[in-house]
Amino acid sequence: MSTAKHTVPAPAAVDEETVFAEIAGMLRSMLDEYGLDDIEIAPESRFMEDLELESIDLVTLAGHLQARYGRQVNFAEFVAGLELDEIIDLSVGRLVEYVVGCLKAGEGS
Amino acid sequence: MAMVHTGGPDGVRLHVQRLGPEQGGPQQDRPGRGGPGRGGAAPTAVLLHGLLTDSLAAYYFTVGPGLAAAGVDVVMYDQRGHGRSERPAGRYRLEMFVGDLERLLDRLGIHGPVHLVGNCFGGTVAFSYAVRHPERVAGLSLIESEPATGAWAAKLDRLLGYAAAQLSEHESDALAWIDAHHGGHTARLARSAARLVRTTSIARDIPSSAVLDEGRIRSVRGPLLALYGADSDMAAQAPWLESLLPGTRTVIVPGHEHSVLVEVPALVLEHVLAHVLDHDRDGDRDGVREPGGRPGGRPRVAALAGLETAP
């Protein structure tokens, strides 16, 4: 598990396709580690129902996100603002939208 | 993620996540800080999760970020056997969990009094810690929780004995039933819990934990907040706990059972944060914002504040 550095610059290209590819890569390495390498990752995949991740795995993902995107992406706060049902139904695509939104907001400031 | 080995003969590797007051985001590998009142340092709150199906995620995605955003130094960890922490084969009596908390705080360099927040079994650990180390506790928040009494041990013996028997004899049937009735996520959590029960002595160890008599319970000095779901079995204990600790602030959440932390996190955050700020022992609140004053604060907090609470 790599330790987060808080100084990683945001990617130059902030588009959904790039961010999806990056997040899918993080999820792929986590799933491979759990021996779930046959699970497909798509924008509509839900973390818990489809990718079979537990809530503690989302904490690991939060660490990966911070290592990649720095402080402007705060996954813990994003999830804490959701209702329980929304957390259970959270999809990869919804997270991608959130990350892109944060990065664009960061660019504008 | 930071893994911290607690050291010593009972040492285990614990998965720790820390959310700092500076940015309300995860802090990793940060050197330890003192407790409240140390040269303007923020109050420290240690959040303890419950048994078997629980992990620090229960806080990371509920009250953790809000506490950090309001200026609290938040320490969360997976208790032994749970989440991403080490799962030793044995040594799961309550005393071991209390020892883990002691040694973890030492390892993190946190020597001043801390606020302990415990959900269910996490609160039981926090309470025993407070009895053992009154000087290291600034305040206690128990969420759907109770001190370790003889009655508690007997109840856990029944519950864990039942769970162990069901799982060892009918694990696949039981998990299929949970999957059908509670959904896949609960079934996956149950699978982790099943692994813990099946591969360790936790179901036998917890009921044989050291328990507290009423005199020891009365000895707790830290101010106590006790939160219950109105429809939970646990709520019936409120008058008893208040009789032993008259300063206790009790909050009963109507329309909820045991899972108040995940079902109404905004309400739990508001009460826990107020309790932490009210009892920041040295009164040094530089940089600590009052509840509701967090940037981009969620309207949910305000909306739920109207819920009735018992005096």
Side-chain angles (χ1 to χ4, degrees):
Chain A
M1 207 61 57
S2 64
T3 302
K5 291 255 191 293
H6 301 290
T7 51
V8 181
V14 181
D15 62 86
E16 299 213 348
E17 210 174 320
T18 310
V19 171
F20 172 75
E22 290 178 352
I23 291 176
M26 297 171 194
L27 291 167
R28 181 85 277 151
S29 66
M30 288 168 64
L31 292 175
D32 287 352
E33 199 181 313
Y34 305 146
L36 299 169
D37 44 357
D38 54 338
I39 292 183
E40 295 256 349
I41 301 167
E44 59 275 16
S45 307
R46 292 164 301 168
F47 290 101
M48 295 182 171
E49 294 297 319
D50 301 320
L51 303 184
E52 302 194 11
L53 296 176
E54 292 174 21
S55 46
I56 192 68
D57 300 317
L58 296 185
V59 176
T60 304
L61 178 63
H64 291 315
L65 290 170
Q66 196 172 47
R68 177 66 189 90
Y69 302 115
R71 286 183 199 166
Q72 47 188 328
V73 174
N74 191 331
F75 184 55
E77 208 162 72
F78 169 61
V79 175
L82 301 176
E83 299 295 333
L84 183 61
D85 293 351
E86 296 177 296
I87 297 173
I88 290 171
D89 280 338
L90 186 66
S91 67
V92 178
R94 173 109 194 257
L95 174 62
V96 169
E97 270 171 41
Y98 167 74
V99 170
V100 168
C102 291
L103 297 178
K104 284 191 169 152
E107 273 181 340
S109 64
Chain B
M1 150 161 81
M3 300 298 292
V4 176
H5 199 289
T6 56
D10 286 326
V12 284
R13 284 175 73 243
L14 298 179
H15 168 213
V16 181
Q17 292 279 344
R18 205 153 169 186
L19 299 175
E22 293 85 358
Q23 72 275 53
Q27 292 257 311
Q28 302 190 16
D29 301 335
R30 198 172 57 141
R33 307 242 320 238
R38 290 195 150 201
T44 298
V46 184
L47 316 184
L48 296 125
H49 67 73
L51 208 57
L52 300 190
T53 55
D54 218 355
S55 74
L56 68 81
Y59 289 111
Y60 194 91
F61 295 120
T62 58
V63 302
L67 286 170
V72 178
D73 178 20
V74 176
V75 177
M76 296 168 279
Y77 69 100
D78 286 331
Q79 303 212 58
R80 59 170 60 208
H82 296 73
R84 294 283 164 266
S85 286
E86 192 179 337
R87 192 173 68 240
R91 304 189 74 76
Y92 284 92
R93 290 198 312 278
L94 179 63
E95 306 82 281
M96 311 301 170
F97 291 88
V98 173
D100 289 342
L101 175 56
E102 287 166 1
R103 284 192 289 262
L104 176 65
L105 291 178
D106 287 344
R107 290 275 159 172
L108 295 175
I110 299 170
H111 303 296
V114 296
H115 293 266
L116 297 176
V117 179
N119 185 36
C120 193
F121 175 74
T124 306
V125 174
F127 204 100
S128 284
Y129 181 89
V131 166
R132 201 144 119 187
H133 300 287
E135 76 292 350
R136 294 182 77 173
V137 178
L140 266 176
S141 298
L142 304 185
I143 305 162
E144 274 288 308
S145 183
E146 59 191 313
T149 59
W152 167 85
K155 179 172 76 179
L156 268 287
D157 190 27
R158 278 197 309 279
L159 291 174
L160 288 166
Y162 178 77
Q166 288 295 310
L167 288 168
S168 65
E169 289 163 35
H170 317 286
E171 179 166 340
S172 57
D173 291 350
L175 291 176
W177 186 89
I178 293 168
D179 195 23
H181 291 79
H182 295 283
H185 182 242
T186 307
R188 267 185 296 288
L189 288 176
R191 200 165 294 132
S192 299
R195 191 176 54 211
L196 181 57
V197 168
R198 191 166 16 84
T199 60
T200 75
S201 57
I202 193 165
R204 296 188 302 280
D205 290 356
I206 297 272
S208 59
S209 298
V211 296
L212 305 169
D213 59 27
E214 293 197 344
R216 302 295 302 279
I217 292 170
R218 278 200 189 90
S219 75
V220 164
R221 290 202 323 233
L224 185 67
L225 167 69
L227 257 144
Y228 307 93
D231 303 329
S232 141
D233 299 343
M234 209 83 87
Q237 298 208 17
W240 168 76
L241 201 53
E242 284 174 355
S243 75
L244 294 178
L245 295 165
T248 299
R249 196 174 117 65
T250 301
V251 175
I252 310 273
V253 186
H256 287 273
E257 297 181 20
H258 188 53
S259 305
V260 286
L261 174 61
V262 293
E263 289 173 2
V264 281
L267 184 77
V268 174
L269 169 61
E270 182 185 299
H271 285 290
V272 169
L273 182 57
H275 191 67
V276 168
L277 298 184
D278 281 352
H279 300 288
D280 187 5
R281 198 177 268 176
D282 298 3
D284 185 341
R285 305 210 185 144
D286 288 353
V288 174
R289 291 186 288 278
E290 291 301 310
R294 56 184 294 241
R298 281 163 288 155
R300 259 197 334 182
V301 175
L304 285 165
L307 280 177
E308 278 178 39
T309 56

